[in-house]
Amino acid sequence: MTRIVIIGGGPGGYEAALVAAQLGADVTVVERDGPGGACVLTDCVPSKTLIATSTRIAVMSESAGLGLRFNGGPDGIVGALEADMATVNKRVKDLARAQSFDVAERLAYEEVKIVRGEARLVEPHVVAVGDRRIRADIVLIATGATPRVLPGAEPDGERILNWRQLYDLPELPEELIVVGSGVTGAELAGAYLSLGSKVTLVSSRDRILPTEDADAAAVLQDVFLRRGMNVMSRSRAAAVERSGNGVIVTLEDGTKVEGTHCLMTVGMVPNTRGIGLEEVGVRCDARGFVEVDKVSRTSVPHIYASGDCTGVLMLASVAGMQGRIAMWHALGEAVQPLKLGWVSSNIFTDPEVASVGVTQHMVDSGDVNARTVMLPLFTNARAKMQGFEDGFVKLFCRPSTGIVLGGVIVAPRASELILGVSIAVQQHLTVDQVAHTFAVYPSLSGSITEASRRLMAEHAY
């Protein structure tokens, strides 16, 4: 029986463990924090739970235009709603623990052994956990990543925070300064704004979400500004310090921004130091990420890696797929290499931003020849009924064949809507085929078929 040791119990580890166990391998998962890893316990699951609460508040707060009135307060629905953060944070942490328990139960059902502790490769085929030595025919590195610390802005867990420390706060931050306007910064800045914090978002670039679709970022930034967020563009934080019951963020130009709390969202660093990779010959890049090929192999034939420690699209879905591919390959099953062009992603802001395949930047730069159509969400009947005005559906297709190459959706629950576009991209469907697919009327998904009809009608191929 093939012996497999997986270092790390997040999606890149536990998904791999399930595949390996189902294929008859003897599987051991070594996890420091608990089944599900940081993704379940401190990162993805907690943040999306918090965001779900904040989105509910935002929807209720903007329901006056639909004719709804809340009689619980003199100012109507906006003035009466407030977040009970003790209850919110308890729910966040309880749900994370429950999800971790579910992962543990699933692994136990497949007879995967779980060892609690920190692992280190002491020989190419030996993993050490404390004094224990576990022999392995195959090793999978799935150790994840840790929030990057900006020198001069070290988190203290009380006023200067990384996102893993938010859920221990006893109350809602009154004035929250968020440093970093990437996905995590935008998600949490929007969430705390809806929960009732006064939020300042410090962005080193000229707009929020600098690596995402520019049209999508523009919509989201407009929503943030309209809801009262202070967005400071082209502003790079140099230092953060405590000041009494608050914080002072000093920018590189000398400007000082004051608040009660500061949330640092300035990227991730891989958890690859001190686990024996260099000693056994596993190559890492200059930033410390494990180098892997498209079937998750490292520079050592029997050692694989998956998830955030590889730096390959830091998404739980990608980590899980990398782990599964690694086990299929290692155990001799038929396997298709990871195709990043098929990966769909979502930013859990309000509205959400989902995308897959070709990007607008690729089209504008000439790297990809594509036709484009963008339909504003406010033209959709269901969106009108529900009072959704911000967002759009954008599709890209080949000029000659009409094959769908990608898309961007900015809408409530865009994470659910993007699946149809993802299927079209992966299955090489044409806009004709999507246009002739029945969509429920009225529905937000109807904008996808409508966009396809526009491309079919407007462009000859």
Side-chain angles (χ1 to χ4, degrees):
M1 182 180 291
T2 304
R3 297 167 300 182
I4 293 176
V5 175
I6 298 171
I7 304 176
Y14 74 73
E15 291 286 356
L18 294 174
V19 167
Q22 289 160 5
L23 292 175
D26 177 66
V27 186
T28 300
V29 174
V30 183
E31 168 56 40
R32 178 182 58 190
D33 300 319
C39 173
V40 168
L41 292 167
T42 60
D43 293 359
C44 185
V45 170
S47 66
K48 276 50 177 182
T49 305
L50 178 82
I51 290 166
T53 300
S54 71
T55 302
R56 187 72 61 89
I57 287 183
V59 169
M60 294 178 69
S61 298
E62 296 174 355
S63 295
L66 303 180
L68 297 180
R69 180 177 227 169
F70 181 61
N71 293 323
D75 298 325
I77 199 162
V78 175
L81 282 174
E82 62 179 29
D84 177 357
M85 292 309 296
T87 302
V88 170
N89 287 336
K90 181 180 184 301
R91 178 174 181 268
V92 166
K93 291 187 282 190
D94 285 350
L95 196 150
R97 284 191 290 268
Q99 187 68 17
S100 177
F101 179 79
D102 288 346
V103 172
E105 287 280 284
R106 184 75 176 92
L107 292 172
Y109 179 81
E110 297 293 344
E111 298 184 354
V112 173
K113 295 183 285 292
I114 300 175
V115 176
R116 191 71 174 264
E118 297 198 23
R120 175 184 173 84
L121 279 160
V122 291
E123 295 179 28
H125 288 275
V126 178
V127 175
V129 184
D131 295 331
R132 182 176 178 180
R133 299 293 184 268
I134 309 172
R135 295 200 62 82
D137 301 304
I138 303 295
V139 176
L140 174 68
I141 308 298
T143 49
T146 300
R148 177 172 166 253
V149 176
L150 183 70
E154 293 78 6
D156 59 17
E158 296 178 352
R159 296 288 174 175
I160 306 171
L161 310 152
N162 63 44
W163 59 86
R164 293 178 177 175
Q165 299 167 328
L166 287 170
Y167 314 111
D168 292 322
L169 291 178
E171 57 189 19
L172 183 72
E174 184 178 344
E175 297 179 344
L176 179 65
I177 304 168
V178 179
V179 176
S181 62
V183 172
T184 302
E187 286 182 345
L188 291 172
Y192 278 93
L193 182 70
S194 295
L195 289 169
S197 296
K198 180 180 178 181
V199 177
T200 296
L201 181 59
V202 177
S203 173
S204 62
R205 309 288 281 275
D206 58 353
R207 62 175 172 85
I208 65 171
L209 299 175
T211 62
E212 304 297 326
D213 183 272
D215 294 320
V219 169
L220 196 60
Q221 183 156 322
D222 180 66
V223 170
F224 282 173
L225 293 172
R226 194 170 68 238
R227 290 177 178 170
M229 186 182 296
N230 177 26
V231 178
M232 302 183 67
S233 302
R234 301 186 185 90
S235 302
R236 188 179 296 274
V240 184
E241 59 184 332
R242 293 280 296 264
S243 175
N245 291 324
V247 295
I248 297 176
V249 177
T250 303
L251 307 182
E252 287 188 345
D253 65 1
T255 302
K256 295 186 182 297
V257 185
E258 296 187 22
T260 59
H261 298 77
C262 178
L263 172 61
M264 303 298 298
T265 63
V266 289
M268 302 278 280
V269 294
N271 297 327
T272 54
R273 290 187 177 182
I275 61 172
L277 298 184
E278 183 178 355
E279 289 84 345
V280 299
V282 174
R283 276 199 307 269
C284 295
D285 66 16
R287 298 176 299 162
F289 291 101
V290 180
E291 295 181 356
V292 293
D293 62 15
K294 292 186 182 297
V295 292
S296 305
R297 287 179 299 191
T298 71
S299 53
V300 178
H302 72 281
I303 300 178
Y304 294 73
S306 62
D308 289 358
C309 67
T310 69
V312 179
L313 287 185
M314 291 189 175
L315 299 171
S317 59
V318 173
M321 184 60 74
Q322 283 181 297
R324 289 189 289 267
I325 287 173
M327 293 301 99
W328 286 323
H329 185 270
L331 295 171
E333 294 292 311
V335 62
Q336 189 170 47
L338 181 67
K339 293 192 176 183
L340 296 181
W342 290 356
V343 175
S344 59
S345 63
N346 189 69
I347 303 169
F348 289 85
T349 45
D350 180 27
E352 295 179 357
V353 179
S355 59
V356 66
V358 163
T359 66
Q360 186 71 59
H361 177 73
M362 293 166 68
V363 176
D364 293 344
S365 66
D367 291 340
V368 174
N369 185 19
R371 300 289 188 181
T372 308
V373 69
M374 187 169 79
L375 292 183
L377 197 64
F378 62 72
T379 64
N380 179 286
R382 185 69 183 277
K384 292 176 183 177
M385 296 169 189
Q386 294 183 291
F388 302 146
E389 298 181 354
D390 303 294
F392 59 79
V393 170
K394 180 191 291 189
L395 286 182
F396 306 101
C397 76
R398 290 198 183 280
S400 56
T401 63
I403 291 175
V404 178
L405 296 176
V408 181
I409 300 177
V410 181
R413 299 298 179 105
S415 52
E416 310 293 344
L417 296 172
I418 199 66
L419 178 62
V421 184
S422 296
I423 292 173
V425 170
Q426 184 168 343
Q427 298 301 319
H428 306 291
L429 302 183
T430 66
V431 289
D432 296 61
Q433 291 171 311
V434 177
H436 286 91
T437 301
F438 281 92
V440 170
Y441 181 86
S443 69
L444 296 183
S445 60
S447 286
I448 298 174
T449 54
E450 175 62 22
S452 298
R453 286 193 288 272
R454 296 280 184 95
L455 283 172
M456 186 175 69
E458 295 177 7
H459 306 294
Y461 45 81

